[in-house]
Structure formats: C-alpha cells, structure tokens
Amino acid sequence: MTDNRASFSINPDTGVLMPNEPPPEIRGHVVILNANAKLARIIEEIQIGSADDPLDIIVVIQDWNAWLENEAWHPHGRYQGNIYFREGHVAGTEDLKLARVELAKVAVVLADPLQGDLADAHSTLTAVAIENLNPTIHTVVELISSVNRVHLKYTKVNEVVCIGELTEKLIAQSCISPGVKNIFDHLLSAQNDTTQIFTVKIPPALSGKTFREIEGWTIERDAPFVLCGFSVMNGNSRDALPTDRITVLNPRTNSEPGKDTSMGPGDTLVAIAYKKSEIDEFLSQHNAISG
Amino acid sequence: MGEIMEPYRGGPGSTKLSLIVDLFVLSLIIVSCALIPVEIFYPEHHHFLEIVDLCITMIFIVEYMLRWYSAKNRIVYPFTGYAIIDLVAILPSIILFASHLRVLRLIRGIRILRILRLLRLVRLLRFFRFGYLISHAVLHARINLSSFAYRYRLGHMFKLFVITCVIWVIAANALYYTETSLVQLGITRYVKDTPPSDPGFDSDYWHSYWNIIILLISGIEDKEPISVLGRIEATIVLIAGIVIIGLLTGEIVSMLVRRLQRMGLVKEMPPRKGLFEQHIVILGLNRHLDNIIRHINDAVRGHHFILVIHPDAESLPIMDSLNYRRVFALAGDPSDKRTLDKASLGKAARIIILSSEDCVDKELKDNQTLMVTIAAAVRPRRGDIPTVVEIIDDENLQYANILQDVEYINGKQCCERLTSQAVLNPGITEIYTTLLDFSFETNEIYIIPVPTELLGKTFKEVRLHFFNLEDEDITPIGVERASGNSPNAKPVFYPGIARRGNDDPLTLDQGDRLVIIAYDRPTFALIDEDGKWSPTYLARASERKA
C-alpha cells in the first residue's frame, strides 16, 4: 500500500535523509506521531537504549513543511535501527496503516507544535485512534497540561508524559532534597555507563515465591541488578485498564501487596541495572531458588 | 565591649562571655518576676524584698546603659523593640522609689512586664530541648501578627491612637490649669457674664480627662469653659476631634476597601525588614507556580513560609486556601537588590527561580532567568543556599557547573528521556511519578550520611543489612561521592551494581553518602537538634510525624 506523500529514511552509513518507504514486513517497531523539538533526542535515546536489539522507528509527520524548516528537529547520527519519516495525518486510519501501526510494538504521540498549549485534545484523539487499530499496542502520550491527564484515565493509553508536571515535580524535589535531581538524571539517561529502572516479567521458576525470597536470593547470588519493587495486576486481566496495574516500590513488611506477597505469572519485577539483557541472562541462568 | 553586650546568637561572631551575660540576665529576670508573688504572700519581708528589687533594678539600669553605649547606632537604639522592652521593665521600679506618690504604688504590678525581656533570650532556646520548636512557633507568631497588623492597617491605627492619647493628656492638663490656676492668677479672664462662683470647666483634675475625651470624640460639651483662653483651647480640641474622627473613619474605610480588593488574592508581605527566616523564596511567576507550591506543601505541610517575588505577585490568586496559608507575595523585580533585601534572601532555606512568561522567545526567557540567578546567587549570605533554576533551552545547561549549589531543571530534556524510557521499559512513567511525589504512602529517593556501622562495608553487605531490618523499609540503590578532591566538586552517583568484568566491589568510605529509596527519612538519619538550627534546614512532614 503506497501513496504519493513524502517518505524518507536515514541512511545508516551516512546518517543523511534519503527517499525511502518502510518495508511492508516491518513489525515490532516504534511509531512516533508528530514531530516537535523533542523528536531528535527521543530517537537518539531509543536507539542508544535498544543497542542490543535495535528498534526500527517510523515517524508520521502531519506538517511536513514545519519539519523541513526546523533543522534542530532532525536526528543526526548513524543508528543501528532503521528510521523512516512519512508525511501523513496522525489520526487518519489510512496513514496509520501505512505506518504499520497494527504490527507496531509501541506508539508515541508527541504534542503537535502548531497547536501550542492546546495540543492535548489532538494528542488524546490520536491515541484513541491508534488503540482502536491495535488494542495491544503500548501507547505513550505527551501532554502539555497535567489537568488533561484525567481524561486519559478511562482510555487504553498506557503511559502519559507531561512536561509541565515533570518540571513542577522536579523543581519541588530539587528544592526539598538538593542533589536528588542528579540521581534522576542518571536513571533516566539511556547511556551505556548509567543504570536505569527496568521492568521484567517474573520467570516461571520464580512464580509463587514472595518478593522477600526473590530479593534475598538475588543479593546472595550477587545479581547484576538491584531489585526495588514489583508490579501486579488488580482485577480481571481481560477487562482491566492499564491503570489497574499496581506498582509497589520498596514494598513494606506488613502490608498487602508487600514484601511477603507471592508473585504470580503475569507479575513483573522492578529492578535497577545497566542493561535489561543482564537481568534476563541472570534470571535464565539461575532459574530456581534453592530451598 | 560590643561583643560581650551583643545578644548571643550561637554563631562564630558570638563569644562565650556574651552567653554568660545573657544567662546571668535571664536568671535575674526570673528572680525579679518571682519577687512579685513572694511579696504578696510574705508581706512581712517587704523591706528586704524591696532592697533585692532595688539591686536588680540597678543591675538592669547598668546593663541598659552598657547595651546603649555598645549599640551600633546609638541614636536609633532606644527606639528599637528590645530597648523599649528593657525600659518598660526598668521604669516602674524607678518610679516606685518616689514612694510619696501613693497612686504610683498602683503600678508596682507593672513590674511583671519584665517577663517581656525573656523575648530577648529566644536565641538561647537552642540549648533547651524543644528549643527549636518554641523558636519556630515564636517566628510563626511574629510573622502572622505582622501580617495581621499590616492587612488591617493596625500600624496606622496605633499611630492615631497614640496621637489621640497625647492630645487628650495635653488638652486635659492644659484646660485644667487654665480654668483653675491661670484664671486665679488673672493671666486669663472670665468670659463675660460668668458668675464668679461657677466652678469652671474642670474643678477636679481627673474629671478634666473625662470632659476632654467626650469633647474630642463626640464634640459634645458637658460644661462650658469659663475663661476666654479655656474656650480657645476647647475650640482647638473640637477641631482636633473632628480631624481625628475623620482620619479614623478614613483609615477604617480604606482598610475595608483594601480587604475587599484583596479578597481571593495572596497575602502581601508585611513591610518589616528581616521578618522571615528559613523560608522558601520563589523568584518569578509562571503557570507552574501553583503546582510547585502544592508539592512543596505536601513535603513540608506548611511548616515553612513561601515568599513569591514578581512585579505581579500581589495579584496572584489563591488557588487553594489550605496550600496558600503560608504563602506571601512581594511585588518587585526579582533581580533588584532592594527587593531581595526586603525578602531576607540571606536567611532563606531555599531559592527557586522560575522562567518568566513575559517573553515569548526562549533565549530571552533564559537570559532573564540567568540574570535573576546571578542576582540571587552572588550575594553575601549565610552559607550557600540551595537554589533551583528552571531553564527552557537545554543549550544553557552548560552554565550548570559555574555557580555552586545551583541545580538547573530543563523540563524538555527530562520529558525526552522519560518518553524514551517509556518506549524501552513499559510501565516506567508510573514508577518515576511515584518517586517524584511527596506523600506518606509513596517512596522518595533520599541521600543520607552513611551510618558509622556501615563504613568500610561492601555494597552487598549494606543491602543485606537493610534487607534484614524489620523496623524500616529501605532499599539502597547506590552511593554518592565527590567527583574530585576540591571541596566544590559536584558529587557523582555510583550505582550499587558491579559492572561486568569489574571485580572491585563498591565499598562505603568516609565522606560517602548512601542513596536509598524509602517512605520516610530513616530514623538513623534524622536531623539532630543542632542541625535544625541550620539556616537551610527544611522540616519535613514525615520527620515531624516521627
């Protein structure tokens, strides 16, 4: 399925844009809707963070002229994953299908720069359109104003990133606890020499064990990660919304869910590590807690 | 002499001798106040107690004269608050010794006002248990009273009251002597047709006070003055009364109109210098302000005052009365030295500098923000005050390392990183949102001194130590240590995970700080009583709960 609208990709050898269409067999990729000043850095971070298993990215750009005019929005560099840029309507079914949304793993809806502070409405509707096309896709939506977060609560949007809210919370945190901001900078960066927070599915061998048992086991075995919490589903998983998942950091001793809560098959562990592959490798090699 | 008579503040400029002087005066105040009830219950020892009181008064007089002599500004000193309190404490005893004036014995009881001198020794509270709490309560009371007095224009009312009292006393005495002594001496004559037996306006000294106050307030004449001069004086008093009532009415109306105009707006900062201490100053105003105030209040629960400085600060609306209880506004340029002096910036616990919404261009916005940062940061002040600055363009982050104790927040950069993380690690935004919230139910990242028993241990041993802890839920995630030998070197975070191929385990050394995730600040890392007196100490709601 093709059309006459602009489509480019980054040449992996030169890092320069060249006319190209995404291949029809592309799957498990990331779709980014809209281009703004954050696009370049987001692509860079995704590529650095997925160096072990490169992710392809398709960017759907509504205002192609604005994108061409803003050189600073263009990613510069040679990446292992393929990066495509398509002109198209970000909420249009046809253009979303051309971006292979049905086969994508993650969709990121960025705020439309031309809408300014009123971009949240378009972003929300775009996210709903994507979820309608592919209910299993993991959607991340950028909001300008935190007051609009409540409207996304009853959609199937998985995650919301609000620049205003983030700024406010970081300012308050830096004010109350000077120096903590450096820790967040470290954890948020996808660079190779920094640790990040990862979520990993409970392996079958650890299913039924409590968090306390798993944590003690990882410390004794010198695991290359620090376990700091877990995430469990609350309610019937078929009808549950993404917001029905409960994440518990630093579980308490006498509470439910807590340190002595048994982990189930659909639960995930929250850990800090340099690479996710190191967590997976450790868990697969040490696949049972000895009695 | 100046250092000894200067009140002890506990800082490097205070001498031990000044502390001894303050403690000696404190004990004399308590003894002299205790003498009053002792005199009532043991009247047989009245003569001895009078001698003791005389000795104490003589010491207070000498102390007053010495403090006046060693004051930095001897002309202003007698009019300062503490000097007036000292004088009020001494005067009743001095007047008492003119004991032939029986009526003045009635004011013996005023000696109890000496207890006000204890206010001077609030600084010595640091040596007492709960001293910080009492001192902080006194600070809050002082600020709230000043704010109340400013909002209701009580300062103006008080001046009017003093002027009225002065006119009252002068007029009562003047008219009494005119109607009695001056008439008898023939200095002024009777008004025509006045019978010689007429007792006149005031035959009784104390009655003249009553007559004058009635004349002043209501303009009603109880009796006519019998002398010409007396009638002239009464006319002046009538006119003064009209002016006073007019002024009083004007003040009340002005106060009511101002209150109406300011309904729903943030309280104005009272114009009293040096009022605030350990407060949080926010320089600038933008749409993030309300949420920042809310988050700060979640953390400190109103224990600290917040002062917002911006030319439009006084028209800031109150979004939530609970969160804005301790918020004050000061209209002024946040980069202006005089404005920053009024805000007692040198005594602030924290400074936040927000990007302005006045400019559209982000380069201009950041230039303005950096200018305010320079104005706030490069001032002589008590220690380095942690400062947070909001930057719009991440190109300006390269200025991050130039000024000490300044942290720069670039929302765009954080948003980019978090978005990428959300792609790479689904579910991550909720975790970061949780870590950034201030509440009793959520965790935060704390950076705390390493407990002595963990020094020299490997990070694995540290993790095991906290894993086995039953009383508190703490997850250590790494160590922070200075990046270089210089005292100004910025600290670096070392995660507590060994890198592949690196057999050298992370061990905790002296000077390191432990980075943990916890619900509250651990009990072993709570700030001690001495630390609370630090100008940059912020009392957390969770610590007060403990």
Side-chain angles (χ1 to χ4, degrees):
Chain A
M1 201 186 301
T2 57
D3 67 353
N4 294 326
R5 278 182 276 196
S7 182
F8 289 80
S9 72
I10 294 180
N11 187 312
D13 298 319
T14 61
V16 172
L17 283 174
M18 60 184 195
N20 201 356
E21 280 280 348
E25 66 275 12
I26 193 170
R27 58 175 60 237
H29 56 287
V30 177
V31 178
I32 301 179
L33 293 315
N34 277 321
N36 61 23
K38 301 184 192 67
L39 179 67
R41 188 73 63 85
I42 288 171
I43 290 175
E44 187 184 324
E45 290 277 317
I46 291 172
Q47 291 299 310
I48 292 169
S50 63
D52 291 345
D53 184 15
L55 280 170
D56 294 334
I57 301 175
I58 298 177
V59 185
V60 180
I61 301 169
Q62 192 147 315
D63 192 331
W64 191 255
N65 291 331
W67 188 73
L68 287 177
E69 282 164 14
N70 286 280
E71 188 66 34
W73 298 2
H74 302 180
H76 298 285
R78 290 182 232 171
Y79 305 113
Q80 289 182 299
N82 298 307
I83 305 171
Y84 304 91
F85 301 88
R86 280 195 54 88
E87 185 185 5
H89 195 288
V90 294
T93 309
E94 289 304 313
D95 289 315
L96 289 176
K97 283 182 178 173
L98 283 170
R100 318 283 191 264
V101 161
E102 297 113 310
L103 303 171
K105 190 166 92 168
V106 183
V108 179
V109 182
L110 295 181
D112 185 348
L114 297 179
Q115 303 294 323
D117 289 348
L118 305 173
D120 290 350
H122 284 195
S123 302
T124 305
L125 291 170
T126 303
V128 171
I130 292 167
E131 285 288 343
N132 287 342
L133 215 49
N134 181 358
T136 62
I137 196 170
H138 186 79
T139 38
V140 181
V141 176
E142 181 197 3
L143 287 184
I144 301 296
S145 175
S146 58
V147 296
N148 295 322
R149 184 190 267 274
V150 68
H151 305 306
L152 289 166
K153 196 179 167 194
Y154 298 102
T155 65
K156 286 188 182 283
V157 168
N158 298 89
E159 296 189 73
V160 173
V161 177
C162 179
I163 180 171
E165 189 183 60
L166 205 53
T167 304
E168 289 152 10
K169 288 186 173 183
L170 278 169
I171 287 174
Q173 272 286 343
S174 290
C175 170
I176 300 297
S177 309
V180 161
K181 189 228 163 212
N182 293 335
I183 312 299
F184 281 106
D185 277 347
H186 176 102
L187 291 172
L188 281 170
S189 171
Q191 301 290 333
N192 284 332
D193 56 349
T194 62
T195 51
Q196 297 162 65
I197 299 178
F198 296 100
T199 53
V200 286
K201 280 199 169 49
I202 290 273
L206 294 180
S207 187
K209 300 291 176 193
T210 64
F211 178 82
R212 187 193 294 271
E213 288 169 334
I214 298 173
E215 190 187 7
W217 174 70
T218 58
I219 296 172
E220 289 295 338
R221 290 279 194 280
D222 292 315
F225 54 89
V226 173
L227 262 188
C228 46
F230 58 87
S231 182
V232 294
M233 210 59 184
N234 187 29
N236 185 338
S237 59
R238 202 170 68 163
D239 301 325
L241 295 168
T243 46
D244 290 338
R245 179 166 277 275
I246 302 173
T247 301
V248 183
L249 274 186
N250 185 34
R252 289 193 197 269
T253 304
N254 299 317
S255 84
E256 184 61 36
K259 266 198 172 119
D260 298 308
T261 301
S262 297
M263 302 287 107
D267 298 339
T268 54
L269 292 171
V270 179
I272 296 176
Y274 283 99
K275 290 184 180 187
K276 191 169 180 185
S277 54
E278 290 177 3
I279 305 175
D280 293 332
E281 196 182 320
F282 178 87
L283 290 177
S284 62
Q285 283 174 1
H286 301 80
N287 56 9
I289 297 176
S290 54
Chain B
M1 172 60 72
E3 279 174 4
I4 296 167
M5 297 315 296
E6 188 66 31
Y8 183 78
R9 293 176 204 278
S14 293
T15 62
K16 278 277 162 19
L17 207 46
S18 74
L19 173 62
I20 293 168
V21 167
D22 278 345
L23 288 172
F24 175 64
V25 169
L26 168 66
S27 46
L28 282 183
I29 292 168
I30 293 169
V31 166
S32 79
C33 290
L35 283 179
I36 298 167
V38 166
E39 228 180 283
I40 294 169
F41 289 111
Y42 298 98
E44 63 272 20
H45 299 295
H46 164 77
H47 186 65
F48 167 72
L49 293 171
E50 238 185 17
I51 295 171
V52 171
D53 188 47
L54 171 66
C55 296
I56 292 175
T57 305
M58 295 308 296
I59 296 171
F60 282 160
I61 291 170
V62 168
E63 185 222 344
Y64 182 87
M65 300 309 291
L66 284 174
R67 287 200 194 273
W68 191 352
Y69 176 76
S70 56
K72 287 192 181 82
N73 191 334
R74 288 175 196 160
I75 296 169
V76 170
Y77 178 79
F79 304 102
T80 58
Y82 284 130
I84 292 172
I85 288 170
D86 289 349
L87 197 61
V88 164
I90 301 168
L91 270 180
S93 291
I94 296 172
I95 294 170
L96 263 175
F97 297 124
S99 56
H100 61 281
L101 286 173
R102 190 165 56 88
V103 62
L104 292 173
R105 285 194 169 272
L106 292 172
I107 60 173
R108 275 180 83 84
I110 295 177
R111 285 182 299 155
I112 198 74
L113 287 174
R114 280 181 184 170
I115 210 147
L116 288 172
R117 295 206 66 200
L118 291 174
L119 286 173
R120 182 188 267 281
L121 299 157
V122 162
R123 289 175 216 94
L124 291 180
L125 284 170
R126 68 186 298 144
F127 297 106
F128 298 94
R129 200 178 170 200
F130 304 121
Y132 173 77
L133 282 175
I134 298 170
S135 164
H136 214 78
V138 168
L139 172 69
H140 275 232
R142 200 173 78 212
I143 293 172
N144 287 327
L145 277 170
S146 293
S147 169
F148 181 82
Y150 181 62
R151 272 182 291 143
Y152 291 96
R153 302 175 73 84
L154 294 183
H156 291 225
M157 304 277 204
F158 181 71
K159 282 180 200 161
L160 204 55
F161 173 74
V162 168
I163 292 168
T164 307
C165 287
V166 168
I167 294 174
W168 178 32
V169 170
I170 292 173
N173 280 277
L175 209 48
Y176 172 75
Y177 283 110
T178 302
E179 291 285 283
T180 53
S181 309
L182 293 188
V183 165
Q184 284 166 13
L185 288 172
I187 292 170
T188 183
R189 61 180 179 82
Y190 288 110
V191 168
K192 198 178 174 186
D193 299 333
T194 304
S197 59
D198 191 317
F201 187 81
D202 283 309
S203 53
D204 181 66
Y205 176 71
W206 293 111
H207 205 68
S208 68
Y209 281 90
W210 171 249
N211 288 336
I212 289 297
I213 199 67
I214 294 295
L215 197 63
L216 207 55
I217 303 301
S218 66
I220 297 168
E221 240 182 81
D222 184 22
K223 282 176 132 184
E224 291 174 342
I226 56 172
S227 62
V228 173
L229 185 59
R231 288 197 177 185
I232 292 170
E233 287 169 6
T235 307
I236 294 171
V237 168
L238 271 167
I239 294 168
I242 292 168
V243 169
I244 288 169
I245 295 301
L247 283 172
L248 182 66
T249 310
E251 281 296 329
I252 292 172
V253 169
S254 164
M255 182 266 290
L256 289 171
V257 166
R258 188 130 177 91
R259 290 293 301 136
L260 268 171
Q261 284 173 339
R262 291 214 55 84
M263 267 178 75
L265 299 180
V266 171
K267 294 190 287 277
E268 295 166 289
M269 191 194 94
R272 186 176 153 184
K273 226 175 165 183
L275 189 61
F276 290 92
E277 288 180 23
Q278 283 187 338
H279 53 299
I280 297 167
V281 177
I282 301 179
L283 301 172
L285 197 150
N286 62 23
R287 63 189 166 173
H288 299 309
L289 180 70
D290 178 52
N291 280 328
I292 289 170
I293 289 173
R294 191 167 52 82
H295 293 316
I296 289 174
N297 273 323
D298 285 342
V300 301
R301 292 272 192 259
H303 192 72
H304 293 269
F305 287 92
I306 298 173
L307 183 59
V308 181
I309 302 175
H310 187 267
D312 299 328
E314 286 178 356
S315 53
L316 197 61
I318 294 176
M319 305 301 280
D320 174 352
S321 55
L322 200 62
N323 278 321
Y324 281 72
R325 250 180 334 134
R326 303 254 190 273
V327 178
F328 285 86
L330 174 61
D333 181 357
S335 60
D336 181 37
K337 181 185 177 304
R338 284 165 299 184
T339 307
L340 298 178
D341 283 339
K342 274 191 218 170
S344 309
L345 197 74
K347 294 198 269 180
R350 297 287 189 275
I351 300 171
I352 296 174
I353 300 170
L354 296 181
S355 178
S356 170
E357 282 182 333
D358 299 336
C359 314
V360 176
D361 181 66
K362 64 179 181 185
E363 196 61 45
L364 284 176
K365 271 190 198 193
D366 279 353
N367 283 347
Q368 202 170 18
T369 307
L370 288 172
M371 201 61 242
V372 173
T373 308
I374 291 165
V378 294
R379 292 162 55 84
R381 42 186 196 182
R382 209 165 59 177
D384 283 318
I385 303 171
T387 304
V388 185
V389 181
E390 182 194 4
I391 287 289
I392 303 297
D393 188 350
D394 48 2
E395 291 288 319
N396 292 315
L397 286 173
Q398 60 189 317
Y399 295 105
N401 292 324
I402 296 174
L403 294 170
Q404 289 303 311
D405 288 310
V406 179
E407 286 186 2
Y408 292 85
I409 305 292
N410 177 238
K412 175 178 166 279
Q413 192 185 68
C414 297
C415 188
E416 288 160 357
R417 287 177 171 174
L418 189 59
T419 305
S420 315
Q421 285 289 329
V423 170
L424 297 166
N425 305 301
I428 215 71
T429 53
E430 192 191 343
I431 293 169
Y432 280 105
T433 305
T434 305
L435 284 172
L436 286 168
D437 276 339
F438 292 111
S439 103
F440 294 127
E441 288 85 34
T442 59
N443 286 279
E444 283 174 54
I445 294 179
Y446 289 92
I447 305 173
I448 57 171
V450 177
T452 320
E453 65 267 26
L454 295 179
L455 284 172
K457 303 273 186 205
T458 63
F459 199 77
K460 177 179 172 179
E461 288 168 325
V462 170
R463 286 183 68 193
L464 277 169
H465 170 83
F466 288 110
F467 175 73
N468 293 321
L469 217 58
E470 288 296 325
D471 300 336
E472 293 179 273
D473 301 302
I474 296 167
T475 302
I477 61 171
V479 167
E480 191 191 71
R481 51 175 59 143
S483 58
N485 292 328
S486 159
N488 294 332
K490 285 211 185 273
V492 174
F493 173 61
Y494 290 88
I497 307 157
R499 292 240 59 174
R500 183 177 279 237
N502 182 4
D503 294 326
D504 193 13
L506 182 68
T507 53
L508 273 61
D509 297 329
Q510 193 75 28
D512 286 347
R513 298 207 294 165
L514 200 55
V515 182
I516 61 168
I517 293 175
Y519 291 91
D520 302 318
R521 194 175 180 89
T523 48
F524 60 80
L526 287 175
I527 308 291
D528 59 13
E529 286 300 314
D530 259 342
K532 290 180 183 175
W533 292 93
S534 163
T536 55
Y537 167 67
L538 270 190
R540 296 290 307 272
S542 52
E543 285 172 31
R544 299 206 308 281
K545 198 176 95 169

